[in-house]
Amino acid sequence: MKILVLNCGSSSVKYKLIDSVSKEVLAEGGVEKIGLPDSFLKYKRPDGSKATITVEMPDAKAAVANVIKVLTDPEEGVIKSFDEIGAVGHRVVHGMDKFNKSVLITPEVIEKVKECYTVAPLHNPANIAGIEAVTELIPTVPQVAVFDTAFHQTMPDYAYMYALPYETYEKYGVRRYGFHGTSHRYVSKRACEFLGLDYDKQRIITCHIGNGGSIAAIKDGKCIDTSMGLTPTEGLIMGTRVGDVDPGALVYLMKAMNLDADGVMNLINKKSGVAGISGLSNDMRDIEAAIKEGNARAKLALDMYEYRILKYIGAYTAALGGVDVIVFTGGVGENQTSLREVICKKLAFMGVTLNEEANKARGEEVEISGADSKVHVVAIPTDEELMIAEDTAAIAGK
């Protein structure tokens, strides 16, 4: 079955066309600057070369229409008509506790996703716009929603609850939900396949580290805790997101800086993290370059970034009662070898050793722990689109 995977944002659409049997990526690309006069679609041709089309796309429907147009183009496309698309899988960011697995999209599902708008005001409306665009353009194709939050719904209540008045949970659904669930699910399973281990009998810590980042604790195939919370701002220090912070500090800054709620959200989502500390960039490559030039604030940003990762690994090792496998993934986790080295060497107290030669690998599946290590440490490139395609094929093919 050919599965079209869509990841619709407020101003962008990323897509892949995947053969669910062979797992081959038949086509991929993305639309950027939706709603602006200079919007464009970039994609890979069948021969592997890249191309860009500049065309005005005022909304998600126009963006999805142009994606389908490229896929079915007689010269540039890979399918003759949209009838070859067996199903469409959508990344949906927030399902709160309404969804604990991927589901076939129905009018009732759409309404429940809309009920989550208040906790994901930037993402869920864009996800629904993509779903409605497909419904209008290809009304007969089945669609499946794959939720970032679903994998984490196995967390016990003592892990997902906040110590706020209980009615804030009952009335407003305020609790930890977690994100990057599709990635954590994929890399934890793939790591065990790669190592030849039984997934349902392992204690695994997955570190999805990129511009956004989160860590998950997985025991016997189920998530028991994760670092992100009600929103993606909790947990690790990220590119521009603050991560863990004293909530009293935010109230103090609201008063001191005369900020309203939108101002605080802008502060913690777009002006904090690595960029906020360094004053330079949210890109770790820029931070490493600045450190080589003696920039003290860049060094501080990296030290803080690494320390927060180390703290969570330590905490989750305790929560799991030990750890068998640690997985690095995401743009930084897959490619920043120096960060992996620092973390592994600081985990020597629990028997982690590093294979420095293996750790030179970037962007590929590799075990970086030494032969005598008491914990397997691996880097596994994430493939959320493949996970979405597999879920979609399984559900739509029934």
Side-chain angles (χ1 to χ4, degrees):
M1 182 185 288
K2 294 185 178 77
I3 305 294
L4 177 59
V5 176
L6 292 178
N7 181 354
C8 297
S10 57
S11 62
S12 66
V13 173
K14 296 177 183 178
Y15 74 89
K16 282 188 180 181
L17 186 68
I18 299 174
D19 186 309
S20 63
V21 178
S22 68
K23 300 183 181 181
E24 181 186 359
V25 177
L26 305 173
E28 63 181 304
V31 176
E32 296 184 23
K33 295 189 176 183
I34 295 173
L36 297 175
D38 57 343
S39 55
F40 62 92
L41 188 158
K42 55 184 180 181
Y43 61 96
K44 282 187 179 179
R45 292 190 174 99
D47 64 4
S49 62
K50 296 180 180 180
T52 300
I53 298 172
T54 300
V55 57
E56 189 169 350
M57 289 175 275
D59 52 29
K61 179 185 174 184
V64 174
N66 276 283
V67 167
I68 294 171
K69 184 177 179 181
V70 167
L71 289 174
T72 56
D73 184 271
E75 295 182 1
E76 304 279 71
V78 295
I79 55 177
K80 292 181 179 179
S81 77
F82 58 70
D83 292 334
E84 293 185 42
I85 299 172
V88 179
H90 295 267
R91 177 195 180 217
V92 180
V93 168
H94 217 311
M96 297 184 74
D97 52 6
K98 303 176 189 298
F99 301 99
N100 60 10
K101 60 183 178 180
S102 303
V103 296
L104 187 70
I105 295 172
T106 64
E108 292 74 23
V109 166
I110 290 173
E111 288 308 308
K112 287 185 178 181
V113 173
K114 288 181 176 179
E115 290 172 12
C116 303
Y117 277 8
T118 53
V119 291
L122 296 178
H123 296 95
N124 276 31
N127 303 152
I128 289 294
I131 292 167
E132 291 176 340
V134 172
T135 300
E136 189 169 342
L137 293 163
I138 322 175
T140 58
V141 72
Q143 300 184 72
V144 171
V146 180
F147 297 88
D148 271 11
T149 49
F151 180 62
H152 304 302
Q153 296 312 298
T154 52
M155 286 188 290
D157 53 5
Y158 57 80
Y160 69 66
M161 287 295 293
Y162 292 120
L164 292 164
Y166 194 77
E167 56 265 28
T168 63
Y169 168 64
E170 291 182 303
K171 291 182 179 180
Y172 308 111
V174 175
R175 50 157 282 189
R176 171 172 286 106
Y177 291 102
F179 298 88
H180 298 133
T182 307
S183 176
H184 288 294
R185 179 162 60 111
Y186 172 79
V187 299
S188 58
K189 287 184 176 181
R190 180 59 199 147
C192 288
E193 291 173 0
F194 177 71
L195 294 167
L197 301 174
D198 185 344
Y199 180 62
D200 295 324
K201 295 180 180 179
Q202 305 302 316
R203 298 164 298 179
I204 306 169
I205 296 174
T206 47
C207 307
H208 180 111
I209 307 170
N211 191 48
S214 63
I215 295 183
I218 301 162
K219 188 172 186 178
D220 301 336
K222 295 182 178 179
C223 178
I224 65 164
D225 205 350
T226 191
S227 59
M228 282 181 169
L230 174 72
T231 74
T233 53
E234 189 180 1
L236 302 180
I237 294 169
M238 295 168 248
T240 60
R241 283 177 248 169
V242 66
D244 293 339
V245 65
D246 176 1
L250 300 181
V251 175
Y252 172 79
L253 289 175
M254 285 184 75
K255 295 178 179 179
M257 300 172 68
N258 194 28
L259 299 173
D260 59 10
D262 289 339
V264 172
M265 289 299 286
N266 186 55
L267 179 73
I268 64 176
N269 277 289
K270 297 181 178 180
K271 295 186 176 180
S272 298
V274 172
I277 294 296
S278 69
L280 294 172
S281 172
N282 64 337
D283 191 312
M284 296 307 294
R285 291 167 294 190
D286 295 336
I287 298 301
E288 287 189 318
I291 290 171
K292 290 178 180 177
E293 296 174 359
N295 188 301
R297 280 177 56 183
K299 179 66 165 59
L300 173 62
L302 181 60
D303 288 346
M304 292 171 64
Y305 188 86
E306 293 174 342
Y307 180 67
R308 188 72 59 85
I309 294 167
L310 185 70
K311 279 208 325 184
Y312 266 98
I313 292 174
Y316 286 167
T317 299
L320 289 164
V323 60
D324 303 304
V325 183
I326 297 172
V327 185
F328 288 100
T329 193
V332 175
E334 295 168 23
N335 295 289
Q336 192 166 341
T337 61
S338 58
L339 178 141
R340 299 191 310 227
E341 179 180 357
V342 167
I343 298 299
C344 286
K345 288 185 174 179
K346 289 186 176 180
L347 294 175
F349 72 94
M350 61 187 205
V352 172
T353 63
L354 178 70
N355 180 331
E356 296 192 11
E357 185 63 31
N359 189 46
K360 292 178 181 178
R362 298 174 184 266
E364 60 183 82
E365 294 183 343
V366 61
E367 180 168 10
I368 63 171
S369 48
D372 59 341
S373 182
K374 293 182 180 179
V375 181
H376 294 286
V377 185
V378 294
I380 301 289
T382 193
D383 197 338
E384 295 167 277
E385 292 85 2
L386 178 59
M387 194 92 267
I388 292 171
E390 289 181 347
D391 279 10
T392 301
I395 293 168
K398 289 182 179 178

